[in-house]
Amino acid sequence: MQQLLQNAVRNQDQTAIISNGQSYTYQQLLESSEVLAGQLLNGADDLNEARVAFMVTPGFDYVRVQWGIWRAGGVAAPLALSYPLPSLRYVIEDTGAQIVVADETYAAVLAPLAEEKGFRFIILGQEEKAATTIQLPQLDRSRRAMILYTSGTTSLPKGVVTTHANLETQISTLDEAWQWTSADHTLCVLPLHHVHGIVNVVSCALWSGATVEFLPNFSAEAIFDIFRSGRVNVFMAVPTIYFKLISYWEGLPADEQQQISATLAQFRFMVSGSAALPASVMEKWKGISGHTLLERYGMTEIGMGISNPYDGDRRVGYIGQPLPGVNVRLVDEENVVVPTGQPGEIQIKGANVFLEYWNRPEATQKAFTADGWFRTGDIAVVEEGYYRILGRDSIDIIKSGGYKISALEIEEVLRTHPTISDCSVVGIPNEEWGELIAAVLIMKDHSVTTEDINSWLRERIPGYKLPRQYRIIEELPRNAMGKVTKNDLKQLFQPA
Ligand code: MCA
Ligand code: AMP
C-alpha cells in the first residue's frame, strides 16, 4: 500500500479514474480515501486488521473505499455484487467483518443483515463527518491487506488472505513484465471481488500512474463504444468476454467492423487469462484486432505466476514462462520434480504467494508442501520452454466464464432441496463459457421441473453457479469404492 500511495503522490495531477462519466485525479483519490479512512477509524489509531466488507459498484467509490480500508489498517473484503443474501452472509460471517460499507445501490441488499448482525454499517453518501486532521497508522508490509473468497475442493469457499507485501509483489511484477506506464489507459469490465480485476487491471494501472475507466456491467456494445473513443490502449479479460466481443463484432455492418478494427490496432497490448483461451478465439481476435492475445496463468492464492512474453513469441495454447520472482516446479504424485517434458502439478513459491486461508489452519497446511511450495492442483507440461496446462487434478473444480466453481458446493445446496434425493454436478466443455455447469438429479417427485429448481437455487447461490443443463436419472453410477464416477456422468451431456 505504501508504494501505491507514494506512486499516487508522484502522479497527483494525472487522471486516475473515469467512472460514471466523471474523471478523478490521483489527488482526489488520495484525499477522499483519507477521509474514508478517518470515517472507518472513527477516532481509533488503527483498525489493526479488522475486516471491512464492502459492496460497492466498480468505479471511483470502489477504489476510495478499498484504499480507505488499507490506509486505516483494515483488511479489505470485497463482496460480489451478484451474490444473493445467503452467500453475502457467508462472507460477512466467515471474515467476521466488524464494519460493512455499501453504496446506495447495494445498501438495501445488506440492510437486513445489518439489522440482524449489528455490524457498523456505512452507506456512502450518508457517512458521518470525520475529524478534519486524521492521523493514519503506519503499515508494516507483512500485515494482512485483503481477503478474497475462492472455491476449491471443499464444499464451502475459503478466504484467501494476502498481505500488503504479497499485493505489492503481485502488482510490481506485472507492472514491469507488461511495461505499464503512466500514459496507459485501461478499461475495467471485470468483477472486483477477484484478482483479475483487482490486481491485474485496477491496481496495476493505479500503481503506474495510468488511467482506469470503469464499465460496471458487461456489455459488448458499450465496450466497443468506449474503444471507439480511442482513449483505451490496454485491455484484459477472460476468454468468454473475447468470445462475446467476437460474436458481437461479427454481427456489425462492415464499415463499423472496420472502424473498430482500426481502433483496436492502436492498442498497446491485450491480455487473456483466468481460463484456457481456445485457439479459435485467439485466432479470430487476431483477425479482428491485429493483436496476438497475451495469455497468462494465475490463481487467487498467487496472483499471476506464468505468462507469455510481452516482447517475443506468444504461443497459442501455452501460458508461457514463470514471471520474474515466481519459482515454479512441476511434480508427480509423490511430490518429486518431473523430468522436462513430463506432466506434473504446478507448484509455486515466491513473495507473491498468499499468507493463509482465513481461519483455516488445516487447509492452509494442506495447501503447502513440507518445503513451502504452494500446490495449485493444475497439471501442466513444459514444451520447448513454454508451459501448457493439461487440466486440473480435481474433477470437482469447474471454470465457467472465468469463475472458479466448486461442484461440491452446488451439490450441497441441491441436496437440501426437498424433492432431490441425490445429485452430482460436473463441468462440460463449451467454447463460449470454457465449461458449462451441468447437474444430474435423482428426484423424489417428478412433477418438479428444472426451471423450478433453478429459481429455487437462484435465491441461494450466485447466478454464475447455476447449472445450465440438467439430466434426471434413476441412480448415480458408482465405482467399486462407492464413489460417483463423474466421467461417466459427463457422457450424459454429449450431444446426440
Ligand atoms: C451467465 N450466463 C451463463 C453463465 N453465466 N451461461 C452459462 N454459463 C455461465 N457461467 C448466462 C445467463 O444465464 C444469462 O443468460 C446470460 O449469460 C447473461 O448473464 P449475466 O450474469 O448478465 O452474465 P454476463 O454479465 O454476460 O457475464 C458474463 C461474463 C462474466 C462477463 C463473462 O461471467 C464475467 O465477468 N466473468 C469474469 C469472471 C472473472 O473475473 N474471473 C476471474 C477470477 P440469459 O440471457 O439467457 O438469461 S480470478 C482468476 O481466475 C485468477 C486469479 C486469474 O488467473 O485471473
Ligand atoms: P481462481 O481460483 O479463480 O483464482 O482460478 C485459478 C484457476 O484458474 C487456476 O488454478 C487455473 O485452473 C485457472 N486458470 C487461470 N489462468 C488460466 C489459463 N491461462 N489457462 C488455463 N487455466 C487458467
Side-chain angles (χ1 to χ4, degrees), residues 150-151 194-195 272-277 295-301 319 376-378 389 391-392 397 399 402-404:
T150 187
S151 296
H194 281 305
V195 162
S272 172
S274 300
L277 176 65
E295 182 168 15
R296 77 343 171 250
Y297 161 87
M299 202 170 173
T300 307
E301 288 87 336
I319 52 171
T376 63
D378 291 307
I389 299 266
R392 284 178 296 268
I397 292 178
K399 265 261 156 164
Y403 285 111
K404 191 176 186 188

Coordinates of all heavy atoms in Angstrom, one line a residue, residues 150-151 194-195 272-277 295-301 319 376-378 389 391-392 397 399 402-404, ligand 2:
T150 N -12.5 -18.0 -2.6 CA -12.3 -18.8 -3.8 C -12.9 -20.2 -3.5 O -12.8 -20.7 -2.3 CB -10.8 -18.9 -4.1 OG1 -10.6 -19.6 -5.3 CG2 -10.0 -19.6 -3.0
S151 N -13.4 -20.8 -4.5 CA -13.9 -22.2 -4.4 C -12.8 -23.2 -4.6 O -11.9 -22.9 -5.3 CB -15.0 -22.4 -5.4 OG -16.1 -21.6 -5.1
H194 N -12.4 -10.4 -7.4 CA -11.4 -11.4 -7.8 C -10.1 -10.7 -8.3 O -10.1 -9.5 -8.7 CB -11.9 -12.2 -9.0 CG -12.9 -13.3 -8.5 ND1 -12.5 -14.2 -7.6 CD2 -14.1 -13.6 -8.8 CE1 -13.5 -15.0 -7.3 NE2 -14.5 -14.7 -8.1
V195 N -9.0 -11.5 -8.2 CA -7.7 -11.0 -8.5 C -7.6 -10.3 -9.9 O -6.9 -9.3 -10.1 CB -6.7 -12.1 -8.4 CG1 -5.4 -11.8 -9.1 CG2 -6.4 -12.5 -7.0
S272 N -5.4 -12.2 -22.1 CA -6.5 -13.1 -21.7 C -6.0 -14.0 -20.6 O -4.8 -14.4 -20.6 CB -6.9 -14.0 -22.9 OG -7.8 -15.0 -22.5
G273 N -6.9 -14.4 -19.7 CA -6.5 -15.3 -18.6 C -7.7 -15.6 -17.8 O -8.8 -15.2 -18.0
S274 N -7.4 -16.4 -16.7 CA -8.4 -16.9 -15.7 C -8.9 -18.3 -16.2 O -9.5 -19.0 -15.4 CB -9.6 -16.0 -15.5 OG -9.2 -14.8 -15.0
A275 N -8.8 -18.6 -17.5 CA -9.3 -19.9 -18.0 C -8.5 -20.1 -19.3 O -8.0 -19.1 -19.9 CB -10.8 -19.9 -18.2
A276 N -8.5 -21.3 -19.8 CA -7.8 -21.6 -21.1 C -8.4 -20.8 -22.2 O -9.6 -20.8 -22.4 CB -7.9 -23.1 -21.3
L277 N -7.6 -20.2 -23.0 CA -8.0 -19.5 -24.2 C -8.1 -20.4 -25.4 O -7.1 -20.9 -25.8 CB -7.0 -18.4 -24.5 CG -7.2 -17.5 -25.7 CD1 -8.5 -16.7 -25.6 CD2 -6.0 -16.6 -25.9
E295 N -1.5 -14.6 -23.3 CA -2.2 -15.4 -22.3 C -1.3 -15.7 -21.2 O -0.1 -15.9 -21.3 CB -2.6 -16.8 -23.0 CG -3.3 -17.6 -21.9 CD -4.0 -18.9 -22.4 OE1 -3.7 -19.3 -23.6 OE2 -4.8 -19.5 -21.7
R296 N -1.9 -15.6 -20.0 CA -1.1 -15.8 -18.7 C -1.9 -16.7 -17.8 O -3.1 -16.9 -18.0 CB -0.7 -14.5 -18.1 CG -1.6 -13.6 -17.4 CD -3.1 -13.8 -17.5 NE -4.0 -13.2 -16.8 CZ -4.8 -13.8 -15.8 NH1 -4.6 -15.0 -15.5 NH2 -5.8 -13.2 -15.3
Y297 N -1.2 -17.2 -16.7 CA -1.8 -18.1 -15.8 C -1.7 -17.5 -14.4 O -0.7 -17.0 -14.0 CB -1.1 -19.4 -15.9 CG -1.3 -20.3 -14.7 CD1 -2.4 -21.2 -14.7 CD2 -0.4 -20.3 -13.6 CE1 -2.6 -22.1 -13.6 CE2 -0.6 -21.2 -12.5 CZ -1.7 -22.1 -12.5 OH -1.8 -22.9 -11.5
G298 N -2.8 -17.6 -13.7 CA -2.8 -17.1 -12.3 C -3.8 -17.8 -11.4 O -4.4 -18.8 -11.8
M299 N -3.8 -17.4 -10.2 CA -4.7 -18.1 -9.2 C -4.9 -17.1 -8.0 O -4.0 -16.3 -7.7 CB -4.0 -19.3 -8.7 CG -4.9 -20.3 -8.1 SD -4.1 -21.9 -7.9 CE -5.4 -22.8 -7.0
T300 N -6.0 -17.1 -7.4 CA -6.3 -16.2 -6.3 C -5.2 -16.3 -5.3 O -4.8 -15.2 -4.7 CB -7.6 -16.5 -5.6 OG1 -8.6 -16.6 -6.6 CG2 -8.0 -15.5 -4.6
E301 N -4.6 -17.4 -5.0 CA -3.6 -17.6 -4.0 C -2.2 -17.1 -4.4 O -1.4 -16.9 -3.5 CB -3.5 -19.1 -3.7 CG -4.7 -19.7 -2.9 CD -5.8 -20.2 -3.8 OE1 -5.9 -19.8 -4.9 OE2 -6.6 -21.1 -3.3
I319 N 0.8 -21.1 -21.7 CA 0.6 -20.0 -20.8 C 2.0 -19.3 -20.6 O 2.0 -18.3 -19.9 CB 0.1 -20.5 -19.4 CG1 0.9 -21.7 -18.9 CG2 -1.4 -20.8 -19.5 CD1 0.6 -22.0 -17.4
T376 N -0.9 -26.0 -6.6 CA -2.0 -25.3 -7.3 C -3.2 -26.3 -7.7 O -4.3 -25.8 -7.9 CB -1.5 -24.7 -8.6 OG1 -1.0 -25.7 -9.5 CG2 -0.4 -23.7 -8.4
G377 N -2.8 -27.6 -7.8 CA -3.8 -28.5 -8.3 C -4.0 -28.5 -9.8 O -4.8 -29.2 -10.4
D378 N -3.2 -27.6 -10.5 CA -3.3 -27.6 -12.0 C -2.1 -28.4 -12.5 O -1.0 -28.4 -12.0 CB -3.1 -26.1 -12.5 CG -4.3 -25.3 -12.2 OD1 -5.4 -25.7 -12.5 OD2 -4.1 -24.2 -11.6
I389 N -1.0 -25.9 -19.9 CA -1.9 -26.5 -18.9 C -2.7 -27.7 -19.6 O -3.2 -27.6 -20.7 CB -3.0 -25.5 -18.5 CG1 -2.4 -24.3 -17.9 CG2 -4.1 -26.1 -17.6 CD1 -2.3 -24.3 -16.4
G391 N -4.8 -29.7 -17.5 CA -6.1 -29.9 -16.8 C -5.9 -29.7 -15.3 O -4.9 -29.1 -14.9
R392 N -6.9 -30.1 -14.5 CA -6.8 -30.0 -13.0 C -6.8 -31.4 -12.4 O -7.3 -32.3 -13.0 CB -7.9 -29.2 -12.5 CG -7.8 -27.7 -12.8 CD -9.0 -27.0 -12.3 NE -10.2 -27.4 -13.0 CZ -10.6 -26.7 -14.1 NH1 -10.0 -25.7 -14.5 NH2 -11.7 -27.2 -14.7
I397 N -13.6 -29.2 -9.7 CA -13.4 -27.7 -9.9 C -13.8 -27.4 -11.3 O -13.2 -28.0 -12.2 CB -12.0 -27.3 -9.5 CG1 -11.8 -27.4 -8.0 CG2 -11.7 -25.8 -9.9 CD1 -10.4 -27.1 -7.5
K399 N -14.4 -24.3 -14.2 CA -14.2 -22.9 -14.6 C -15.2 -22.5 -15.6 O -15.2 -23.1 -16.7 CB -12.8 -22.7 -15.1 CG -11.8 -22.3 -14.1 CD -11.5 -20.8 -14.1 CE -11.1 -20.3 -12.7 NZ -10.5 -18.9 -12.8
G402 N -14.8 -17.8 -16.6 CA -13.6 -17.3 -15.8 C -13.8 -17.4 -14.3 O -12.9 -17.1 -13.6
Y403 N -15.0 -17.8 -13.9 CA -15.2 -18.0 -12.4 C -14.8 -19.5 -12.1 O -15.2 -20.4 -12.8 CB -16.7 -17.8 -12.1 CG -17.1 -16.4 -12.0 CD1 -18.0 -15.9 -13.0 CD2 -16.6 -15.5 -11.0 CE1 -18.4 -14.6 -12.9 CE2 -17.1 -14.2 -11.0 CZ -17.9 -13.7 -11.9 OH -18.3 -12.4 -11.9
K404 N -14.2 -19.6 -10.9 CA -13.9 -21.0 -10.4 C -15.1 -21.4 -9.5 O -15.5 -20.6 -8.7 CB -12.6 -20.9 -9.5 CG -12.1 -22.2 -9.2 CD -10.8 -21.9 -8.4 CE -10.0 -23.2 -8.1 NZ -8.9 -22.9 -7.2
Ligands
AMP2 P1 -9.2 -18.7 -9.2 O1 -9.2 -19.6 -8.1 O2 -10.5 -18.1 -9.6 O3 -8.1 -17.7 -9.0 O4 -8.8 -19.5 -10.5 C1 -7.5 -20.0 -10.7 C2 -7.5 -21.1 -11.7 O5 -7.9 -20.6 -13.0 C3 -6.2 -21.8 -11.9 O6 -5.9 -22.7 -10.9 C4 -6.4 -22.4 -13.2 O7 -7.1 -23.6 -13.1 C5 -7.3 -21.4 -14.0 N1 -6.5 -20.6 -14.9 C6 -6.1 -19.3 -14.8 N2 -5.5 -18.9 -15.9 C7 -5.5 -19.9 -16.8 C8 -5.1 -20.1 -18.1 N3 -4.5 -19.1 -18.8 N4 -5.3 -21.3 -18.7 C9 -5.9 -22.3 -18.0 N5 -6.4 -22.2 -16.8 C10 -6.2 -21.0 -16.2

